[in-house]
Amino acid sequence: MYVTAAILSVLLALVTLAAGAPKTVLKGDVSAGLQSHMGLSAGLVRFIGLAEVSATVGLIVGLFWQPLGIAAAIGMALMMIGAVGYHIQVGDYANPETRGNALAAVVLVPFFAATAVTLVLAI
């Protein structure tokens, strides 16, 4: 089970780092879109980015100390559920132009949950 947990943790760490780093420094289309289209403040976008980068660290360190990895995976699953709710609120799933980016949060929730479960089973 540890091998599965390690693979999921590393892959999700790469995803969260790639998503969080640009938000942390407020660079790129995603940060601009979150501010203009979604109406989020620059501070909130930066906070989300920092949470994603922190989850990256938690997922990697969690390979050696599972409680941290479990917490990071659960935290990111909850954050993605919140993102889904916010995307529903602004109507992204009904709009074909914004649906693709919004679906990333839906797809990632089960992967973060599976990572948490496999880390628990690897203890």
Side-chain angles (χ1 to χ4, degrees), residues 13-104:
L14 292 172
V15 169
T16 56
L17 181 62
K23 292 175 194 158
T24 302
V25 294
L26 299 175
K27 300 286 182 192
D29 295 339
V30 173
S31 295
L34 288 172
Q35 291 178 59
S36 64
H37 170 68
M38 305 275 286
L40 302 179
S41 68
L44 184 55
V45 172
R46 182 169 279 139
F47 176 78
I48 292 168
L50 288 171
E52 290 173 340
V53 171
S54 297
T56 300
V57 174
L59 287 166
I60 296 302
V61 174
L63 293 173
F64 307 100
W65 188 53
Q66 280 86 0
L68 184 60
I70 294 164
I74 291 171
M76 281 302 299
L78 292 173
M79 194 165 91
M80 291 295 110
I81 291 169
V84 169
Y86 202 84
H87 283 293
I88 289 170
Q89 184 180 13
V90 297
D92 283 343
Y93 296 112
N95 183 350
E97 294 176 8
T98 58
R99 186 179 304 137
N101 289 337
L103 283 175

Side-chain angles (χ1 to χ4, degrees), residues 1-2 5 62 65-68 70 116-123:
M1 195 55 64
Y2 181 78
W65 188 53
Q66 280 86 0
L68 184 60
I70 294 164
V117 169
T118 56
L119 284 168
V120 167
L121 295 175
I123 292 178

